[in-house]
Amino acid sequence: MDALASIARDSALFLDAVRAASPGARVPACPEWGVADLTYHLAEVQSFWSAVVGPAVGEGLDPDDVTPLARPADDAALPTLAATATARLLAALTGRDPSEPCWSWHDAGHTVGWVVRRQAHEALVHRVDAEQTAGRDVTGADPAVAADGVDEVLRVLVDGVPDWATFTPDGGTISVLVDGPGETPRSWELAFGRLTGVGPESGTAYDFDSAQLVDLPGSTSAQVAGPAWGLDLWLWGRADRSGLTVQGDPALADRLRAVANEGMQ
């Protein structure tokens, strides 16, 4: 997977779609957003991460030191703002050592390589948003990129228990299987349960539905399978699971989608 090429490709498709969308169009997956909000969002995200990584080794910023991207008063200026943000991000990431350290909100993500991967999938998902907002057919994705997108959702946005929390499984299990024509099969197994604990900084007590990646012998309670792109779109809430196959309890597939959605907030 060439993540930098993915960022460039999907950012270009994003810009083409938002420029074609009606100014009053709403984003189907995020109906509280209009096309201008979507355009500013991707520009803001890409601008932020280009500052965090920095123009050269050791020149990245902590998040508190990043100057927020100003939103233009005129929405017509937003596509140019987004194009500039993409160019800055690609310039910041090109030629960098993936193992180079930088800030991240994720415990396992403090490297430039993690940022490159995250931004590839950020651009991909919002490119889909832009195409859907413009009323276009959604452009396909490279199966390897889509499969990596499934892996990122499950490993970065779903899996993980903070050191102050406890995960208690409740017996529900599910497997996710990439099984599309000509695709290399990949699978993930997850256990459902409750994640509970008290945040050490806020003092907030948490108790919510969760799923964690596990090694499960034998079969799971349910399985959802299909092409990587269909799975990626479904997990991100950009498509239903009509093109996927569910074995076992379909409520567990819906539960996984709900857990993933919470991780995306």
Side-chain angles (χ1 to χ4, degrees):
M1 167 180 158
D2 186 338
L4 284 174
S6 290
I7 294 172
R9 171 184 183 266
D10 288 312
S11 296
L13 288 170
F14 172 89
L15 281 172
D16 186 64
V18 296
R19 285 178 171 135
S22 167
R26 311 303 296 179
V27 182
C30 309
E32 68 277 13
W33 281 359
V35 64
D37 302 309
L38 175 65
T39 307
Y40 174 69
H41 171 74
L42 186 61
E44 182 182 37
V45 169
Q46 292 185 338
S47 177
F48 172 83
W49 284 104
S50 66
V52 166
V53 171
V57 177
E59 295 184 1
L61 300 177
D62 288 331
D64 292 341
D65 297 326
V66 176
T67 300
L69 182 67
R71 180 165 176 167
D74 183 358
D75 287 346
L78 284 167
T80 298
L81 184 76
T84 300
T86 298
R88 287 182 58 203
L89 179 67
L90 290 170
L93 296 175
T94 299
R96 303 292 284 273
D97 183 345
S99 65
E100 180 189 332
C102 68
W103 177 87
S104 170
W105 51 263
H106 193 271
D107 289 343
H110 297 275
T111 65
V112 169
W114 184 92
V115 174
V116 174
R117 183 195 200 200
R118 176 82 285 283
Q119 290 311 297
H121 295 301
E122 184 82 6
L124 175 63
V125 169
H126 290 313
R127 180 265 289 175
V128 172
D129 285 334
E131 291 175 332
Q132 292 178 336
T133 302
R136 294 179 168 182
D137 291 337
V138 172
T139 305
D142 184 297
V145 174
D148 189 68
V150 174
D151 186 75
E152 197 215 26
V153 169
L154 298 179
R155 293 190 187 280
V156 175
L157 303 180
V158 173
D159 187 53
V161 180
D163 56 12
W164 47 264
T166 300
F167 174 72
T168 305
D170 60 19
T173 57
I174 191 169
S175 57
V176 178
L177 174 65
V178 169
D179 187 24
E183 295 184 328
T184 301
R186 294 185 65 179
S187 63
W188 302 259
E189 297 172 327
L190 301 101
F192 291 106
R194 304 296 297 181
L195 193 148
T196 57
V198 177
E201 296 182 3
S202 65
T204 302
Y206 293 93
D207 182 355
F208 57 87
D209 199 23
S210 181
Q212 298 297 309
L213 289 165
V214 292
D215 290 324
L216 296 170
S219 61
T220 53
S221 307
Q223 179 190 83
V224 57
W229 186 221
L231 289 167
D232 198 21
L233 289 173
W234 168 68
L235 284 168
W236 273 101
R238 270 59 182 183
D240 61 27
R241 53 179 171 82
S242 58
L244 306 176
T245 301
V246 176
Q247 297 180 1
D249 186 356
L252 291 177
D254 295 337
R255 187 177 177 186
L256 176 61
R257 169 68 194 99
V259 168
N261 182 67
E262 287 301 311
M264 295 166 187
Q265 303 303 312

